Amino acid sequence: MSVRVQAKDFDLATELAGLTAGRTDIGAIVTFTGLVRDIAKSEAVSEMELEHYPGMTERALAGIEREARTRWPLQASLIVHRYGSLQPGEQIVLVATASPHRQAAFEAAEFLMDYLKSRAPFWKKEHTPKGAHWVDARETDEDALARWSD
Amino acid sequence: MQLVYFAWVRERIGEARETIESEAKTVADLVAELRAREPRYDLAFSDMSAIRVAIDQELSDLDAPLNGAREVAFFPPMTGG
């Protein structure tokens, strides 16, 4: 189980190899990779700036990961989240979950993403031809969280 | 105590971190104190529904007690992922 917050890019194959190194009991790995899009609300995006709260970010992500482990039988999990200045097409976030069977891995990966979108202290600023603006939180992100609270 | 600000809260207040002396009992009291201090705080905290708070790096409510808090952070709703 691990959480990393970093400015540099990550390599999916390397991360997966690290997750499974030395073990043969894993039956399913689900990964999610979030990318910077070049368009948002029909405006061209030339750059995405990601600010975060060093210290709290790592704690919040580790807490979300711990919560996922209480809900699903995970054998391994990984969250890598970048910060700093990112260009369209670049990778922002990686979530990977491993379990004996696929359902737990799929569900846990969705849970981790839903939680980190609105409970980990990151803020996005988009640069567009009209200027730069902070991205508003979306109500649909809160709705996505609500489905896990029972 | 240390106050830290992120995203547009940081931009409106004009600094990322500052140390202040305060007798405020709750986050809401602290916000009221700051708003009375200078217009830039008043502007940053004019709509508290758009502000989230963390006390010592844990998300907290606006009416949460500060008792002994070392670091209080103010920021907009988070947009990770």
Side-chain angles (χ1 to χ4, degrees), chain A residues 45-138:
Chain A
V45 173
S46 56
E47 181 197 343
M48 170 93 82
E49 255 180 88
L50 265 157
E51 182 170 329
H52 80 114
Y53 184 172
M56 180 175 168
T57 311
E58 290 81 356
R59 284 169 66 156
L61 292 177
I64 293 165
E65 197 177 50
R66 259 197 315 279
E67 175 64 25
R69 290 190 67 189
T70 66
R71 294 178 180 226
W72 291 279
L74 298 182
Q75 295 166 309
S77 62
L78 172 67
I79 303 174
V80 181
H81 205 303
R82 295 178 67 194
Y83 63 87
S85 168
L86 302 178
Q87 308 299 311
E90 283 198 74
Q91 306 185 110
I92 305 175
V93 60
L94 168 67
V95 156
T97 52
S99 67
H101 303 287
R102 71 181 183 282
Q103 191 183 357
F106 273 125
E107 288 179 7
E110 271 201 282
F111 172 90
L112 291 175
M113 275 310 301
D114 284 350
Y115 265 79
L116 76 80
K117 278 198 92 76
S118 43
R119 293 292 181 273
F122 287 99
W123 301 275
K124 290 185 182 127
K125 190 181 208 178
E126 288 169 347
H127 292 252
T128 74
K130 289 182 189 161
H133 61 260
W134 292 99
V135 174
D136 286 326
R138 299 177 347 159

Side-chain angles (χ1 to χ4, degrees), chain B residues 34-74:
Chain B
L34 290 169
R35 290 188 68 175
R37 225 164 79 168
E38 278 180 60
R40 60 195 171 111
Y41 295 99
D42 195 36
L43 174 69
F45 297 128
S46 59
D47 176 11
M48 288 306 289
S49 71
I51 301 279
R52 300 291 176 270
V53 182
I55 299 177
D56 291 332
Q57 305 194 349
E58 293 283 348
L59 274 181
S60 305
D61 292 325
L62 278 177
D63 53 7
L66 285 172
N67 43 28
R70 290 184 307 276
E71 185 172 281
V72 181
F74 294 98

